[in-house]
Amino acid sequence: MNENHLNPKDCLGGRYRILSIIGQGGMGAVYLAEDLKLRGKRWAIKESKGNGHVQNFRKEAETLIQLNHPYLPNIVDYFPPNENGISYLVMDYIHGQNLAQKFKNMRNQLPFEKVIKYAIQICELLHYLHSNSKNPIIYRDLKPSNVMIDQQDNVRLIDFGISRSFKQHKQQDTVHLGTVGFAAPEQFEDKQSDHRTDLFNLGAMLYYFFTGGHYYTSRKSLQHTNIPLPMIQVIQKLLQFNPEDRYQDTLQVKRDLEKLQNDKQRLDFPNKTSLELSLQFEPKVIVVGNMYQGAGSTFTSIALARMFHHYKIKNALVEYPTNIPELYSLLNGEKNKPKQYEFLFDKYHEDHWSSNKLEWNSGYTTWYPLPLSNDALLEKNESKTEIEPLLFNIRKPIMIVDISNGWSHPSVQQLCNSADEICCVVDSIPTKFSAGLSQNNLKTAIRLKQSGKNVHFIVNRDINARVKKLWNNTLPWNPSCYIANFPFENVHEHIWKGKMFQIEKNIKDKLIEGLYPFISQIVPKSMLEQQANSTGSLKKWFQIQH
């Protein structure tokens, strides 16, 4: 351990072994540490250095220690300033990203339902802080970067450095703090902040999300946004200049937001008429991989892409860098690629690039195949940090990532930890499933399932009802869907002719029937049925099913 910071393998207090640095700021670093006493437990250790930060840091520790709420990090240990003036706070490690990062990664467009959900949770937390009978807490710095989103998609409020205890007899705050763009007027005037200050901060944050990243000071009109009038009225009331004119009760804000959340008419936004535009769900990453070599992950990935295309849902199919390049040839790239096409994997690491110029579109699907020469590409992608910017820059409502046989690669494991849906492809030949590598992949699938991930088995080359029953008895949980067994010679014939097998009409109808149970878990059924009403063969299939 040196004078300024902790290093990996250092041990704080004889108990917390440092694993890595997970954040760095002006006042210090945040470390990931393992607990040597509670084996398997990991903590975040927040560091503060410099005399100017010690008071706020100690105040944050004292504030958090007395609180207990599911949307707050728990404090487990505190180390006061050492001889070098460095303090440490040991707290829950929240695996996720903050709302500022999430908003940026989604190109400044958070789905309406997500914003409402997070705002309701924040209201619940603010009510808890404000109604503390012994010591009401005013947070005073509510902003996207201070709101973490954990793996369960719930908020966790962090950084209590400038919070204060409310003292009714005081006429003004001792110090005027807050973040420009989110702070209330009284935070920069000689007035005392109270619970209504936090409500102004909440309104400013909602304004920021619904205007695509504009601060309230920009005075961008909410009337030109695609949000319903009741939501505009809530935000306007939160943002009143005088605290007396704002909401006076946090629970009332929560009730009004819940009414919006439950109102079935809330999605009637202006100009949202087509299925493509009215699709109001957060972009999803779907990982598709083989349980064993040759199970058909690439065939399944292409089939999924074309099914989403059929439903007029924009999607992307990304061939992961751990794969042996195959997609380009299957797409007959030499004939079908756009003129002057450049592989995205050759360009995305450059300083300036735009995925739009590199897109290979086929209807609602965008293809991202690997270059045929994949030399050294794997070495460039040893960690998720290399692939993550690519996924964010090609963000589509649906992103299918074909990892083929790459389950064991560290970057794939990290990708699976953040993916929304994980599809494990198996076929109707059981002998391969008993091999050692297949069993390792099965253990990976089970581990991901136990961690709370949505893990699906997709059976490829399904033969008959008897085999289907055998699969249901063999797998640890039932498959989400079954893809019909298509004659091998027909598939090969299409490949040799440079044609896509999955778009043949009689093939497509069978794929729709097979994949619908899975797709309907990703996209609301009402939207799929709306599209079915405008498609003859699909409409007929729905009538049979219902």
Side-chain angles (χ1 to χ4, degrees), residues 475-515:
L475 298 172
W477 58 88
N478 288 342
S480 294
C481 61
Y482 301 81
I483 300 175
N485 182 38
F486 300 106
F488 187 71
E489 59 271 17
N490 289 359
V491 177
H492 262 224
E493 181 182 354
H494 278 75
I495 293 173
W496 277 103
K497 289 181 177 180
K499 296 181 179 180
M500 189 179 296
F501 181 75
Q502 290 88 339
I503 65 173
E504 295 293 324
K505 185 181 184 307
N506 60 328
I507 304 302
K508 185 176 73 171
D509 289 347
K510 289 183 179 180
L511 288 174
I512 290 170
E513 183 177 352
L515 290 171

Side-chain angles (χ1 to χ4, degrees), residues 51 58 90 100 109 131 159 210-211 231 240 288 297 306 318 332 346 355 381 384 394 421 436 463 473 478 480 486 505:
N51 294 330
R58 183 183 291 113
V90 184
Q109 292 183 342
S131 60
D159 200 345
F210 285 130
T211 57
M231 185 73 246
Q240 291 298 306
V288 183
S297 71
R306 298 322 286 164
V318 180
N332 195 10
D346 286 340
S355 63
N381 290 279
K384 187 184 174 187
I394 63 173
E421 314 288 335
I463 297 177
N473 293 332
N478 288 342
S480 294
F486 300 106
K505 185 181 184 307

Side-chain angles (χ1 to χ4, degrees), residues 34-206:
E34 64 176 344
D35 195 323
L36 299 181
K37 185 176 181 181
L38 302 174
R39 294 292 180 178
K41 187 67 177 177
R42 293 187 172 191
W43 306 104
I45 297 181
K46 187 175 180 180
E47 173 190 78
S48 178
K49 56 185 179 181
N51 294 330
H53 299 294
V54 170
Q55 184 176 355
N56 278 348
F57 196 71
R58 183 183 291 113
K59 181 179 177 60
E60 180 180 7
E62 293 170 352
T63 299
L64 285 171
I65 287 170
Q66 64 178 307
L67 300 175
N68 181 23
H69 193 276
Y71 299 147
L72 291 175
N74 293 312
I75 302 300
V76 297
D77 216 338
Y78 173 63
F79 294 84
N82 58 23
E83 63 275 9
N84 298 312
I86 303 176
S87 308
Y88 296 101
L89 195 60
V90 184
M91 63 181 71
D92 284 338
Y93 170 56
I94 304 170
H95 185 76
Q97 55 184 340
N98 64 47
L99 265 178
Q101 296 166 328
K102 191 177 185 71
F103 188 61
K104 180 180 178 182
N105 292 339
M106 297 182 67
R107 298 182 179 180
N108 290 7
Q109 292 183 342
L110 274 178
F112 181 83
E113 290 93 330
K114 288 290 185 184
V115 177
I116 296 294
K117 173 186 175 180
Y118 299 149
I120 289 172
Q121 291 182 347
I122 290 170
C123 284
E124 292 176 7
L125 175 55
L126 291 179
H127 174 68
Y128 168 78
L129 296 175
H130 298 161
S131 60
N132 190 320
S133 58
K134 294 183 179 179
N135 194 21
I137 303 296
I138 313 301
Y139 182 69
R140 299 199 302 170
D141 200 22
L142 186 61
K143 58 184 178 181
S145 60
N146 280 349
V147 181
M148 294 289 294
I149 303 300
D150 64 20
Q151 286 187 299
Q152 287 71 47
D153 199 36
N154 294 321
V155 303
R156 301 286 289 274
L157 196 61
I158 59 173
D159 200 345
F160 274 68
I162 71 167
S163 65
R164 61 178 289 270
S165 299
F166 179 73
K167 297 178 174 60
Q168 195 159 358
H169 65 276
K170 289 187 63 175
Q171 299 300 311
Q172 64 184 57
D173 290 348
T174 306
V175 287
H176 311 299
L177 292 170
T179 300
V180 175
F182 300 101
E186 61 268 24
Q187 290 182 265
F188 301 108
E189 299 178 355
D190 293 329
K191 297 179 181 179
Q192 181 182 200
S193 57
D194 61 17
H195 68 283
R196 296 168 297 184
T197 303
D198 285 343
L199 295 182
F200 184 100
N201 297 164
L202 174 61
M205 196 165 75
L206 291 173

